[in-house]
């Protein structure tokens, strides 16, 4: 029996819009990391943006 890492149900319920804001994307990936294992952590570009914003504050 093979178990897929992707939580299809979660993905169906949580579609991210193409023009999602930075905050929306961070929120989406935070929830995604909790609910699905189809990929690890944040995309590199988003991670870089998070670091950039941390430094500003
Ligand atoms: Zn996923």
């Amino acid at each position: 029996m093979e178990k897929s890492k992707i939580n299809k149900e979660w993905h169906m319920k949580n579609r991210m819009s193409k023009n999602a804001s930075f905050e929306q994307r961070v929120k989406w990936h935070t929830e995604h990391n909790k609910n699905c294992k189809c990929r690890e952590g944040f995309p590199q570009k988003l991670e870089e943006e998070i670091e950039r914003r941390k430094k500003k504050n």
Side-chain angles (χ1 to χ4, degrees):
M1 209 167 69
E2 210 171 286
K3 227 179 185 180
S4 173
K5 280 182 179 179
I6 186 165
N7 186 344
K8 278 182 190 166
E9 205 175 316
W10 189 89
H11 275 271
M12 296 277 274
K13 285 180 190 167
N14 296 274
R15 294 241 174 95
M16 189 161 41
S17 64
K18 280 178 188 171
N19 46 17
S21 68
F22 169 77
E23 280 80 11
Q24 284 174 315
R25 286 190 295 156
V26 171
K27 205 178 166 190
W28 189 94
H29 283 283
T30 305
E31 287 303 307
H32 180 251
N33 291 341
K34 285 184 209 161
N35 292 288
C36 184
K37 299 273 180 282
C38 76
R39 57 155 100 173
E40 295 276 317
F42 295 101
Q44 201 182 342
K45 273 194 177 176
L46 198 59
E47 200 136 26
E48 283 167 11
E49 185 66 23
I50 291 167
E51 285 304 309
R52 242 202 313 262
R53 288 181 184 230
K54 269 185 198 166
K55 282 169 192 168
K56 275 184 186 174
N57 293 331

